[in-house]
Amino acid sequence: EQDELQRFGARFNRMANQLEQVEEQRQKWIGNVAHELRTPLTVIKGSMEGLMDGVLQPDAATLERVYRQADRLERLVNDLQELNRLDEGVVQLNLRPVDLKQSLTEVVETMAITFQKKSITLDLVLPEKSVIARADEDRLQQVMINLLSNSLRCTPEGGQAVSYTHLTLP
């Protein structure tokens, strides 16, 4: 009877530990989701403030950048819904030929106003030729925006972002 009680206690403790780990993972996941959603919202809000302050002109390029971020936000929300439906939690990548030079330039243009507001210099060094890669452009841009957002957060006002992007051709 004592052995059975000890085994029950050990199983109960293992279950409690597993539940604690699941809760920690859930909280990390929620933090990651919030970060992913916050990034396009920050870009949209920064662009809108720039438009309202007259720092940005309401030209086609600016409106297109804002629209792309709203579109990205919508895709992130759709991804969340998809993740909710999937048992394995695997997101399908939309792999296709992507012009890395053009894609990274779009990201830098999108983030430029945010860097300007903190008086931080952001440089993008790319080759003259296009570099085509098979990639999921949304995920690629998401990674670049996250890296630039982290750089922005860690660079003091008036500083220079030390993360340069160099693409070298083979």
Side-chain angles (χ1 to χ4, degrees), residues 114-149:
T114 316
F115 276 81
Q116 288 172 355
K117 282 188 169 204
K118 272 188 82 176
S119 301
I120 296 174
T121 303
L122 174 64
D123 293 319
L124 179 67
V125 180
L126 297 170
E128 288 184 32
K129 294 181 181 179
S130 291
V131 177
I132 306 298
R134 192 167 194 266
D136 183 320
E137 188 169 23
D138 290 336
R139 301 290 182 241
L140 174 69
Q141 288 188 347
Q142 182 178 354
V143 167
M144 285 304 299
I145 288 173
N146 286 344
L147 290 172
L148 288 173
S149 294

Side-chain angles (χ1 to χ4, degrees), residues 39-151:
T39 302
L41 283 174
T42 300
V43 172
I44 291 168
K45 186 176 177 184
S47 296
M48 296 307 294
E49 287 174 359
L51 287 166
M52 290 186 305
D53 294 344
V55 175
L56 288 178
Q57 296 303 312
D59 57 18
T62 301
L63 297 175
E64 175 66 26
R65 279 194 297 275
V66 171
Y67 179 82
R68 277 195 317 264
Q69 289 305 306
D71 195 44
R72 182 169 170 252
L73 188 59
E74 181 180 38
R75 285 190 303 272
L76 286 170
V77 170
N78 290 340
D79 285 349
L80 284 174
Q81 289 175 328
E82 183 180 334
L83 280 174
N84 193 38
R85 289 188 296 265
L86 296 174
D87 291 338
E88 296 176 358
V90 177
V91 175
Q92 295 293 321
L93 295 177
N94 180 19
L95 299 178
R96 61 181 181 80
V98 174
D99 183 336
L100 296 178
K101 182 178 175 182
Q102 178 184 341
S103 188
L104 296 176
T105 299
E106 287 175 11
V107 169
V108 169
E109 288 172 354
T110 298
M111 296 291 293
I113 188 71
T114 316
F115 276 81
Q116 288 172 355
K117 282 188 169 204
K118 272 188 82 176
S119 301
I120 296 174
T121 303
L122 174 64
D123 293 319
L124 179 67
V125 180
L126 297 170
E128 288 184 32
K129 294 181 181 179
S130 291
V131 177
I132 306 298
R134 192 167 194 266
D136 183 320
E137 188 169 23
D138 290 336
R139 301 290 182 241
L140 174 69
Q141 288 188 347
Q142 182 178 354
V143 167
M144 285 304 299
I145 288 173
N146 286 344
L147 290 172
L148 288 173
S149 294
N150 291 342
S151 178

